[in-house]
Amino acid sequence: MILTVVFLILFFILSGLLILFVFSVFIPSVNQSKTTDNLQTFLFAEDEVQSHKKHSSVNKLRDTGLRAVVKCSSQKTFSNQRLQYNDLRDCRVFNAMYETEFDCLWQCVGFGSCVSVCPQQAIIIENNTAVILTGCIGCGRCIEICPKNVIELVPKESLDSVIRCCADSGDTSCSDYKKIRKAEIPERNISKITKLCYNLFYGNKG
């Protein structure tokens, strides 16, 4: 009889401890996990999450065999200037407001919006014009952000035959109107270690 009572007491104690564990530890931990997921949703806007994913994929980029070409020569000159612009240096903002500083509506704006999105750091600005450097792998991000549509992807083999001016008419004082210039692709100014790592992954593909 006494042994039965002892077993009953032990049973109730163990059952109580199990119930206490479930309600005080297990269930709260599950709820906390769900709350954390919700917090991440509230802390980061959808565009921030997508931007993070986009930048996280930079290391996964591979050479497409294409190269970006700016159809606007950095060697061009103009004789007519419409205005002097000294405001926000963003190509899309400027194009929406003024289109051009000179008399050519098709020229590169030259404020470097494409520079900031290039994962290879393969674009610089010279003479208010984007210039593609060695290291371009043809990812196309510069094309997406250019409001003038003066950047396109072409096979590496046809770089020399691309017309470096995309003006639709001769109503421009641009010195390079419809001229074909040989592509002279400047070297990127990078350290020897960075260059070695790049060649290991991509080879000498320019």
Side-chain angles (χ1 to χ4, degrees):
M1 181 68 179
I2 297 175
L3 191 60
T4 303
V5 172
V6 171
F7 277 119
L8 285 173
I9 293 173
L10 288 175
F11 173 76
F12 284 119
I13 290 175
L14 291 174
S15 298
L17 290 174
L18 179 62
I19 293 172
L20 181 65
F21 171 79
V22 170
F23 283 96
S24 64
V25 178
F26 182 73
I27 293 178
S29 65
V30 171
N31 291 336
Q32 180 64 32
S33 176
K34 293 180 179 178
T35 303
T36 302
D37 291 339
N38 291 333
L39 279 176
Q40 290 178 347
T41 302
F42 287 116
L43 285 174
F44 300 100
E46 181 63 24
D47 58 342
E48 292 177 312
V49 174
Q50 294 303 323
S51 176
H52 173 71
K53 289 180 179 179
K54 186 174 182 180
H55 288 296
S56 297
S57 66
V58 167
N59 294 329
K60 300 178 182 178
L61 291 174
R62 292 293 179 264
D63 195 323
T64 63
L66 303 174
R67 295 295 177 265
V69 171
V70 181
K71 297 184 292 182
C72 185
S73 173
S74 62
Q75 302 176 45
K76 66 182 183 300
T77 59
F78 287 99
S79 59
N80 301 319
Q81 186 167 6
R82 300 172 59 237
L83 58 92
Q84 286 279 356
Y85 179 79
N86 297 304
D87 210 331
L88 182 65
R89 309 290 286 183
D90 182 278
C91 296
R92 292 163 297 179
V93 171
F94 174 81
N95 185 63
M97 296 174 63
Y98 303 106
E99 289 192 292
T100 180
E101 284 187 270
F102 297 89
D103 66 348
C104 181
L105 297 175
W106 301 274
Q107 70 156 347
C108 173
V109 176
F111 291 163
S113 294
C114 55
V115 175
S116 62
V117 300
C118 178
Q120 293 296 104
Q121 299 180 1
I123 308 176
I124 59 173
I125 300 297
E126 289 185 352
N127 189 27
N128 295 321
T129 307
V131 176
I132 309 298
L133 307 178
T134 56
C136 172
I137 57 174
C139 70
R141 292 184 182 178
C142 52
I143 296 176
E144 298 172 1
I145 202 170
C146 178
K148 292 294 188 180
N149 299 314
V150 296
I151 309 178
E152 70 175 3
L153 294 179
V154 300
K156 292 185 296 182
E157 299 76 16
S158 62
L159 282 174
D160 292 350
S161 60
V162 175
I163 296 176
R164 298 293 162 153
C165 176
C166 63
D168 286 341
S169 70
D171 187 20
T172 173
S173 63
C174 177
S175 63
D176 267 28
Y177 174 65
K178 291 298 182 182
K179 284 186 179 178
I180 298 178
R181 285 187 179 274
K182 182 178 180 180
E184 295 181 1
I185 307 176
E187 287 279 349
R188 290 183 300 173
N189 186 18
I190 57 176
S191 67
K192 292 182 179 179
I193 295 178
T194 304
K195 190 171 183 178
L196 176 61
C197 292
Y198 176 82
N199 288 333
L200 286 175
F201 282 101
Y202 298 110
N204 298 319
K205 298 181 180 181

